[in-house]
Amino acid sequence: MKQLVIEKAVLTAVMVLWYLLMPVTGYANGSIHPASAHFLYLWSHANIWHLAGNVFVLCIMRGQLHLLPSLLIATICSFIPAFGLWPVGMTVGFSGVLFAVAGIKWGIYCRRAPFRHLAYADFCIRALPFALLGCIIPHVNWCIHLYCILAGFAFGRFSMR
């Protein structure tokens, strides 16, 4: 419990300090250069409301965050091209990590569930719509959300933990 509070506090501090002190750093859709942007986009946010939303979701998440695999998943998924109804533009924000955390948690739940087909249905009904909802909101890279929740789910479901 104490470790979880410390993790959340450190993540929040890094994101707030980055917002206040550092330039907005993100990656353009389909771009692999500069590669550093794919590692730094997680800490930048488009505006204060974007930052507040991600910090709020981070704070309400319960249980282990699976932070290292989630950061790795969000970074790897950033290299996959995005598509949508509106131009994607520059991608920034911590939401990819949050979707990866949620995906890992759902994957672990489905792996351990006695009635897996019901657990899979729960995942499809309760979690996936949040990743897909972004496709109708302009200037949201809904693809990174979908990629991260699905990759997180696969990691949680099939990891050897």
Side-chain angles (χ1 to χ4, degrees):
M1 176 72 169
K2 187 176 180 181
Q3 178 186 351
L4 181 63
V5 172
I6 292 170
E7 283 180 350
K8 288 180 180 182
V10 168
L11 290 171
T12 299
V14 169
M15 287 188 281
V16 169
L17 287 172
W18 189 284
Y19 181 78
L20 294 173
L21 303 174
M22 301 298 289
V24 175
T25 305
Y27 66 90
N29 184 28
S31 170
I32 60 170
H33 296 291
S36 61
H38 291 271
F39 298 97
L40 299 176
Y41 85 97
L42 308 164
W43 310 112
S44 291
H45 287 82
N47 55 50
I48 193 69
W49 300 111
H50 185 209
L51 173 63
N54 280 335
V55 168
F56 173 74
V57 171
L58 175 65
C59 288
I60 65 171
M61 286 189 148
R62 295 201 257 176
Q64 187 177 352
L65 293 178
H66 309 281
L67 198 53
L68 191 57
S70 296
L71 288 165
L72 187 60
I73 287 167
T75 301
I76 291 169
C77 288
S78 73
F79 288 96
I80 305 171
F83 58 92
L85 300 174
W86 295 275
V88 175
M90 183 171 62
T91 297
V92 295
F94 201 70
S95 57
V97 177
L98 298 172
F99 274 91
V101 168
I104 291 171
K105 289 175 177 280
W106 273 101
I108 292 169
Y109 166 69
C110 288
R111 183 179 70 218
R112 295 178 178 165
F115 299 102
R116 287 190 185 141
H117 63 288
L118 295 176
Y120 290 130
D122 272 352
F123 172 70
C124 292
I125 292 168
R126 294 182 180 183
L128 279 183
F130 287 104
L132 297 172
L133 180 66
C135 74
I136 60 170
I137 303 171
H139 311 295
V140 170
N141 183 350
W142 69 277
C143 291
I144 193 73
H145 298 163
L146 181 64
Y147 300 155
C148 288
I149 199 168
L150 292 175
F153 181 86
F155 179 84
R157 173 63 182 88
F158 299 109
S159 68
M160 299 307 288
R161 291 198 253 168

